[in-house]
Amino acid sequence: MKKNEFIQLIDESGDIMFSCNGYKLTIITWADEGIGIGFQNKNPALNKIQYFTSSTDLVNNFLLDGIALAKLADKIVIEQCN
């Protein structure tokens, strides 16, 4: 997947579950706080949602192991999208 394709998917979708570099994450687009992203795991203390003002903001500024999603776009695998 390319960066712009991922941004467009976020803009046109509701919830997106995906994996990247061994992590499973969820993006929510309907929250009042903005577009949220969080890790899927069983430990609630680790699953804090981070909010961003736009899909572009999220893709450029959410870091996974210190690397922006924008630079990892080709490693993103969409698991579920609605």
Side-chain angles (χ1 to χ4, degrees):
M1 174 165 286
K2 296 183 193 268
K3 173 186 169 181
N4 289 337
E5 292 172 329
F6 192 49
I7 289 170
Q8 182 177 357
L9 181 67
I10 295 168
D11 287 341
E12 296 175 353
S13 300
D15 293 344
I16 301 168
M17 290 185 250
F18 68 99
S19 57
C20 183
N21 276 8
Y23 295 98
K24 293 190 176 283
L25 300 107
T26 299
I27 293 174
I28 58 172
T29 60
W30 44 263
D32 290 338
E33 297 90 338
I35 299 174
I37 185 169
F39 293 94
Q40 299 174 23
N41 59 61
K42 296 181 180 184
N43 183 345
L46 298 175
N47 196 18
K48 302 216 186 291
I49 297 175
Q50 293 180 43
Y51 293 97
F52 295 86
T53 57
S54 68
S55 56
T56 301
D57 182 27
L58 184 150
V59 171
N60 287 331
N61 295 303
F62 178 78
L63 302 178
L64 195 58
D65 288 334
I67 303 168
L69 278 181
K71 293 184 179 180
L72 298 170
D74 60 332
K75 295 179 168 85
I76 292 173
V77 176
I78 303 300
E79 311 266 336
Q80 185 176 350
C81 180
N82 58 14

